[in-house]
Amino acid sequence: MNLLFLMTDQHRVDTLGCYGNPHVATPNLDRLAASGTRFDRFYTPTAICTPARASLLTGQAPFRHRLLANYERNVGYLEDLREDAFTFPEALKARGYRLGLIGKWHGGTHRNAASYGFDGPDLPGWHNPVDHPDYLAYLEERGLPPYRISDLIRGTTPNGNQGNLLAARLHQPEEATFEHYLATRAIEHMERYAADGRPFFLATHFFGPHLPYLLPDEYFDMYDPDLVELPPSIAETFEGKPPVQRNYSAHWTFDTIPIEVTRKLIAVYWGYVTLIDRQIGRILDRMDELGLTDRTAVFFTADHGEFTGAHRLHDKGPAMYEDIYRIPGIIRVPGQPAQVRNEFVTLTDCTATILELAGCDTAPAVDSRSLLPLVRGEHPEWPAELLAEFHGHHFPYPQRMIRDDRYKLIVNPESVNELYDLEADPYELSNRYTHPELAPVRRRLMRRLYDLLRERGDNFYHWMTPMYDIGALDYDPTLSSFEKEGSTA
C-alpha cells in the first residue's frame, strides 16, 4: 500500500466545505472527504509546530519525545529528537518503502528530513523559504518573477512598534507561489516513485495557511470581507482567565486593528486555504492519472489550528481553545467506506495508522492508536476523553487539557485553571472553574486527568498535588492514587 500524506500548517477546521463552511471553495479536499473517512473530532496533541510534528514522527506525546518548542522561540528544551528515538520512517524503510517529504520540515535543527531517510529539498524553518536555491531555480527555469510583496497588514504593539506581519499582497502569479512549487515537486517525486514500482510514503507539507498570509491578487481578493461572520469569541473579555491570554492579545495587536481589517484578514486566510486546496487537487489528479489511486492511502490533516481573531488573538499560544486544538482529519483507504466518525482522535494516531498500513509493528508508537478499525467502519472500544498538552512558546508555560463530550478542563500551574461547558458555551467565553454547580464536574475531570497523566508517565501530575488545588483533587497523600473516592483509571 502506497501512502500519500498531505499536511497544512496552522489550519482552522472551519475553513473547509466538508466541515461546514458555506463560502470557502475547497472542492478537492471535499471530494477526498466524500470518498473517505472524515473525523469530526480530530485534535493536535499540542498546538505548536515542532512538538506536534515530532509526535507524528514518533507516535509519542510531546512530554515523552521531549521536543517541546519551536527552535526559533526555544525556551531551554531539546532541539532535536534523541538519536535512539523510534520514528515511523525507519520502520517503513525496513519494509522497502521509498520515502519522500516535500515542504516544511520544522522537526529539529541539526537533523533534517534526510536524516530520517526522506528524499526532497531541505526546507527548514517556519515560513516559506523564498530564498531557497531550489525554489529560485524553479522560478528561473520557468521564467517566473521573484517574490515581492506590498500592502502589508500589521498592528501596533504596546510599545508603539509595528506588530508582526499578518498578511500582504504577493506580486507573483499562482504558478510562482511557493505552494504551487511544492505541489510540482511532489508530483515529480510521485512520478519517479510510480516508475520505480516499490511502495512509497510521500508527504507534502505546505507552509500555509500559517500567517503571514502572502497571496497573489486572485486569492488576496477572492472572498468579499462582507461574507465573513466574525467569530463570536471576538467578544472575549478575558475575565476570570489566565492573564497571559490578555497579554498575548496585546502582543498580536488585535485591538489596534480596525474591525473591517480583521474581516479582510479572515477573507485573505480563506483565499490561502483555497490556493492550497487547488495544489492538493493537482497532486490528487496526477495520482489518478498515474493509476495509483486504488493502491494508495491518502491522509489530510494539519499540525494545529489558528486563531484569526478568535478570542481577540492571532497565531497560536498558551490558550487551549478549540480554535487551535481541533484540526481537520481525513483518511481515505482504498476499499473502505465513506463516512464521518465522531470519536476523539489525534494527529499522533496517524503514526500507528501509517505503520499498520505498511505492515509494520505499531507497538513502538506508544501513544498512538491505529485508526484503521474506525476507517473500516468498525466500532471498537475507544477512549471517551481527549488529552492535550503545551509547554511554551516564547517562554515556558506548562498546560494540560482533558475534554469529554461536554466539558473541557485546563490546568495552568502558573495561573488560574479553566473549565468550559462546551454545550452551553461552545465558544469558550466563560471560565466556570469556580462555579459551585460545576464542582462535581471539576473534581471528576481533575481526578481523571491526574490518573491518566500518572498512568502515561507524564510528571505534570506532580503539579496536581496538595501544593495547590487540594479541594479540586480531594487528594490524600497517604494513598497511591485517589483511592479515597475511587480512581477512574
Side-chain angles (χ1 to χ4, degrees):
M1 178 76 69
N2 301 315
L3 303 162
L4 176 64
F5 198 92
L6 305 167
M7 191 176 195
T8 51
D9 190 337
Q10 209 153 296
H11 197 155
R12 288 187 66 94
V13 69
D14 61 7
T15 59
L16 300 175
C18 57
Y19 281 95
N21 191 299
H23 304 300
V24 182
T26 54
N28 298 293
L29 289 170
D30 293 349
R31 68 181 166 100
L32 182 66
S35 58
T37 297
R38 175 172 67 79
F39 293 93
D40 198 47
R41 296 199 290 189
F42 199 99
Y43 285 77
T44 183
T46 183
I48 186 167
C49 302
T50 297
R53 291 165 188 270
S55 287
L56 171 64
L57 198 62
T58 63
Q60 296 180 2
F63 82 87
R64 197 183 309 277
H65 63 61
R66 307 304 296 169
L67 200 58
L68 301 178
N70 294 354
Y71 72 84
E72 299 91 352
R73 297 287 185 271
N74 207 322
V75 288
Y77 299 133
L78 295 178
E79 293 192 6
D80 286 279
L81 291 173
R82 299 181 307 274
E83 291 286 344
D84 62 349
F86 168 82
T87 63
F88 78 79
E90 68 179 273
L92 266 60
K93 190 172 184 179
R95 293 282 296 180
Y97 272 73
R98 294 199 63 174
L99 305 173
L101 191 152
I102 311 300
K104 181 171 181 174
W105 168 241
H106 215 197
T109 55
H110 301 294
R111 300 172 70 192
N112 60 11
S115 304
Y116 297 91
F118 290 110
D119 302 326
D122 181 22
L123 300 171
W126 63 270
H127 61 89
N128 285 339
V130 294
D131 57 351
H132 191 277
D134 191 62
Y135 174 61
L136 296 178
Y138 166 87
L139 295 179
E140 185 175 357
E141 289 165 5
R142 291 160 177 77
L144 294 168
Y147 166 88
R148 183 170 67 87
I149 60 174
S150 68
D151 301 353
L152 281 62
I153 299 176
R154 61 203 329 162
T156 305
T157 64
N159 63 8
N161 292 333
Q162 286 187 329
N164 291 298
L165 179 63
L166 301 175
R169 194 176 293 274
L170 179 64
H171 295 278
Q172 288 177 302
E174 178 177 336
E175 294 73 21
T177 62
F178 211 82
E179 292 70 30
H180 196 280
Y181 152 75
L182 290 177
T184 299
R185 290 289 187 252
I187 289 168
E188 292 168 352
H189 273 68
M190 185 185 295
E191 290 169 344
R192 287 197 291 273
Y193 293 166
D196 177 88
R198 283 184 285 164
F200 64 81
F201 173 92
L202 177 60
T204 306
H205 291 185
F206 292 95
F207 287 76
H210 194 296
L211 55 76
Y213 323 136
L214 310 177
L215 301 177
D217 291 344
E218 177 187 356
Y219 296 95
F220 195 86
D221 298 320
M222 177 171 282
Y223 296 105
D224 185 345
D226 288 342
L227 289 174
V228 173
E229 184 176 341
L230 293 172
S233 63
I234 212 163
E236 180 66 78
T237 66
F238 303 114
E239 181 180 354
K241 297 189 176 185
V244 69
Q245 296 185 24
R246 186 187 299 275
N247 294 340
Y248 244 66
S249 178
H251 171 75
W252 282 104
T253 69
F254 178 85
D255 291 335
T256 72
I257 298 172
I259 203 67
E260 61 269 21
V261 177
T262 294
R263 288 186 189 275
K264 177 62 178 177
L265 279 170
I266 295 172
V268 174
Y269 182 80
W270 288 359
Y272 206 168
V273 171
T274 296
L275 171 62
I276 292 172
D277 180 84
R278 288 186 181 174
Q279 309 318 309
I280 287 174
R282 293 177 57 220
I283 297 170
L284 295 176
D285 288 347
R286 188 58 181 142
M287 183 177 69
D288 291 343
E289 293 164 0
L290 291 168
L292 297 170
T293 302
D294 291 340
R295 46 198 173 98
T296 303
V298 181
F299 294 68
F300 171 74
T301 188
D303 57 355
H304 55 79
E306 149 80 84
F307 280 118
T308 60
H311 294 278
R312 290 166 50 199
L313 295 164
H314 291 288
D315 200 49
K316 67 273 183 186
M320 303 185 85
Y321 293 120
E322 295 288 285
D323 305 270
I324 60 172
Y325 276 83
R326 182 174 171 237
I327 55 177
I330 301 168
I331 301 176
R332 185 180 72 192
V333 176
Q336 301 308 325
Q339 59 178 330
V340 177
R341 301 298 301 227
N342 203 41
E343 290 86 355
F344 287 118
V345 299
T346 78
L347 177 65
T348 314
D349 292 329
C350 289
T351 315
T353 311
I354 290 167
L355 290 167
E356 184 173 355
L357 283 166
C360 302
D361 181 12
T362 64
V366 295
D367 297 310
S368 179
R369 293 180 193 86
S370 173
L371 299 173
L372 286 186
L374 305 183
V375 169
R376 290 192 293 260
E378 300 168 10
H379 294 277
E381 184 177 345
W382 205 263
E385 63 274 309
L386 170 90
L387 298 184
E389 60 190 270
F390 188 73
H391 298 266
H393 183 49
H394 303 277
F395 50 86
Y397 197 86
Q399 295 178 292
R400 295 296 185 275
M401 179 256 278
I402 184 171
R403 71 147 295 183
D404 60 19
D405 277 339
R406 179 167 179 174
Y407 297 100
K408 175 190 290 187
L409 171 72
I410 302 161
V411 177
N412 300 298
E414 305 293 335
S415 188
V416 298
N417 295 329
E418 300 164 81
L419 178 65
Y420 297 102
D421 180 345
L422 298 174
E423 182 178 296
D425 177 27
Y427 301 105
E428 302 171 279
L429 285 166
S430 176
N431 179 10
R432 305 187 182 190
Y433 185 80
T434 61
H435 288 206
E437 70 275 14
L438 289 183
V441 173
R442 183 179 69 238
R443 286 195 293 268
R444 172 177 62 81
L445 288 177
M446 192 72 80
R447 284 198 302 269
R448 183 62 174 152
L449 177 61
Y450 179 97
D451 282 326
L452 287 173
L453 293 180
R454 202 169 74 161
E455 179 183 300
R456 285 156 60 108
D458 182 348
N459 287 333
F460 185 91
Y461 77 87
H462 287 304
W463 288 100
M464 301 166 63
T465 61
M467 70 176 67
Y468 90 113
D469 216 359
I470 299 172
L473 281 169
D474 293 330
Y475 178 79
D476 183 341
T478 67
L479 301 177
S480 62
S481 185
F482 296 106
E483 299 170 55
K484 181 169 61 177
E485 292 197 12
S487 172
T488 58

